Amino acid sequence: MGEMSKIQLGVIGALFLSVASSVSIVICNKALMSNLGFPFATTLTSWHLMVTFCTLHVAQRLNLFEAKPVDMKTVMLFGILNGVSIGFLNLSLGFNSIGFYQMTKLAIIPFTVMLETIFLKKQFSRKIKLSLFFLLVGVGIASITDLQLNFLGTILSLLAIITTCVGQILTNTIQKKLNVTSTQLLYQSAPFQAAILFVSGPFVDQMLTKQNVFAYKYSPIVLTFIVMSCVIAVSVNFSTFLVIGKTSPVTYQVLGHLKTCLVLGFGYTLLHDPFTERNIIGILVAVFGMGLYSYFCTQESKKKLLVDPPLSSQVKDKDNSPVLNGNQEKEGHDSKKISKDSLV
């Protein structure tokens, strides 16, 4: 029971870190791009990933975590896929209306559910699907304002959805199949994500903004916000891998829509963005959906634990050997982590 409580605290801590850091970086980047006129989002993301890798490299040198070798081909393809998905999301925003871009983000959840059902044979109960429906409707009401379709924008949105879903599913699958931590996987893949965005970022940004990132005049306040953004990004990138590894890609997307609601609220409070009754109704419906999702996930997780008790408790009854117990408790911990897949 104590071990289960530690796992639950770990999940709650990961979720809190993800929300806090993501909301912080959105507010920081909004001030940087909207108020200070720095529009180079893709290039900025490549800097985020470079700083993340450098930070993790220093931490690894200080023995704060152990680097675990992973198949280079797997990590390289995984890193490039994640980098490409970021590029497609930015291009989708550039070639579509804000409303259609929000629809693209909303479509990631049902598409992820479909992929996991087809390829991973994962089952989603009707209650979970109902809670996701309320969540998507609420976020849609709160954030979607206009829907303007065009062929190129639609193709880019589809590519963004596919690459994002596959990348997040792989983030979860690789951690479990290869038995690597979120920190180890991020450390191995960040250089490849940074490289693909560092090379393509200036071209993508110039295509979208008609400005050259290298010709931009960097004032001291802009540089300060860029540094702040990069520092916060370390926490964002780390918490992203941590949350997906401890829960599931769908849970991470649900968390992302909670961030959307919080950003809308903070935008109104701190940045005085327009806020209407529609926004309020949408946020309330979305929060209701999130509450249902959390409740149903917790109930299904408890049922799974009752049906399939932890391996560590079974081993204690069979053998009191400290070595065997230590190894099996680790396996029991992994089993409980996998049982968290019921959080989808």
Side-chain angles (χ1 to χ4, degrees):
M1 186 67 182
E3 190 177 347
M4 185 61 199
S5 298
K6 288 180 181 178
I7 295 173
Q8 289 177 335
L9 285 175
V11 172
I12 292 171
L15 296 175
F16 177 79
L17 177 63
S18 179
V19 171
S21 57
S22 295
V23 172
S24 299
I25 201 169
V26 166
I27 293 173
C28 178
N29 287 349
K30 187 166 186 178
L32 178 63
M33 294 179 185
S34 299
N35 300 343
L36 299 177
F38 182 85
F40 310 107
T42 310
T43 303
L44 181 63
T45 304
S46 72
W47 297 345
H48 288 170
L49 288 162
M50 281 188 234
V51 172
T52 298
F53 172 72
C54 292
T55 303
L56 290 177
H57 186 66
V58 171
Q60 191 267 330
R61 287 290 185 181
L62 294 174
N63 295 319
L64 296 179
F65 75 94
E66 181 181 352
K68 185 173 182 178
V70 183
D71 177 59
M72 184 58 65
K73 184 179 179 181
T74 300
V75 172
M76 185 182 298
L77 292 174
F78 171 72
I80 292 173
L81 176 66
N82 276 313
V84 168
S85 73
I86 294 170
F88 277 136
L89 280 169
N90 286 340
L91 285 171
S92 174
L93 177 59
F95 283 89
N96 290 303
S97 64
I98 298 295
F100 193 82
Y101 175 71
Q102 289 294 342
M103 281 292 294
T104 299
K105 290 170 64 178
L106 289 179
I108 292 174
I109 284 185
F111 198 83
T112 302
V113 169
M114 183 184 74
L115 288 180
E116 291 196 305
T117 301
I118 294 173
F119 295 105
L120 300 182
K121 309 301 179 186
K122 190 175 288 187
Q123 299 298 318
F124 295 85
S125 68
R126 289 183 179 179
K127 292 179 179 179
I128 294 294
K129 291 177 182 177
L130 178 65
S131 64
L132 291 175
F133 173 77
F134 277 114
L135 167 66
L136 295 175
V137 169
V139 176
I141 293 172
S143 60
I144 296 175
T145 53
D146 61 324
L147 285 175
Q148 299 174 11
L149 302 179
N150 67 81
F151 180 75
L152 179 59
T154 302
I155 296 298
L156 290 171
S157 291
L158 287 173
L159 291 172
I161 291 168
I162 293 169
T163 53
T164 301
C165 291
V166 173
Q168 291 180 359
I169 291 172
L170 285 177
T171 301
N172 180 271
T173 304
I174 289 174
Q175 289 186 55
K176 288 181 167 61
K177 296 292 185 184
L178 301 183
N179 195 28
V180 294
T181 66
S182 55
T183 308
Q184 290 167 335
L185 181 58
L186 180 59
Y187 179 62
Q188 296 285 348
S189 62
F192 300 105
Q193 295 183 58
I196 190 71
L197 290 175
F198 187 74
V199 172
S200 63
F203 298 103
V204 172
D205 288 334
Q206 188 160 16
M207 188 187 307
L208 297 175
T209 65
K210 310 301 181 186
Q211 298 181 54
N212 190 335
V213 66
F214 300 111
Y216 183 83
K217 294 183 179 179
Y218 294 86
S219 65
I221 188 168
V222 168
L223 289 173
T224 300
F225 270 85
I226 288 174
V227 171
M228 285 174 55
S229 180
C230 288
V231 171
I232 300 171
V234 176
S235 177
V236 173
N237 291 323
F238 173 72
S239 63
T240 296
F241 278 61
L242 189 63
V243 168
I244 295 175
K246 284 184 174 291
T247 57
S248 72
V250 173
T251 297
Y252 176 73
Q253 284 298 323
V254 170
L255 194 68
H257 292 307
L258 170 60
K259 298 170 195 173
T260 300
C261 295
L262 290 175
V263 167
L264 286 171
F266 278 113
Y268 172 73
T269 306
L270 301 178
L271 304 177
H272 306 293
D273 289 343
F275 210 61
T276 64
E277 291 182 359
R278 175 177 171 175
N279 295 132
I280 297 172
I281 293 171
I283 289 174
L284 290 176
V285 173
V287 169
F288 175 70
M290 290 175 208
L292 286 179
Y293 180 82
S294 300
Y295 175 76
F296 292 143
C297 285
T298 303
Q299 294 302 309
E300 291 187 10
S301 181
K302 287 180 180 178
K303 286 180 182 178
K304 262 196 174 183
L305 287 174
L306 291 173
V307 173
D308 185 19
L311 290 177
S312 57
S313 62
Q314 296 175 8
V315 171
K316 286 178 183 177
D317 293 336
K318 291 182 179 180
D319 199 315
N320 289 324
S321 168
V323 175
L324 288 176
N325 281 340
N327 291 336
Q328 291 293 343
E329 281 175 4
K330 184 179 182 300
E331 292 176 14
H333 182 272
D334 290 340
S335 173
K336 290 172 187 175
K337 284 177 69 180
I338 293 171
S339 74
K340 285 293 175 182
D341 285 344
S342 62
L343 287 175
V344 290

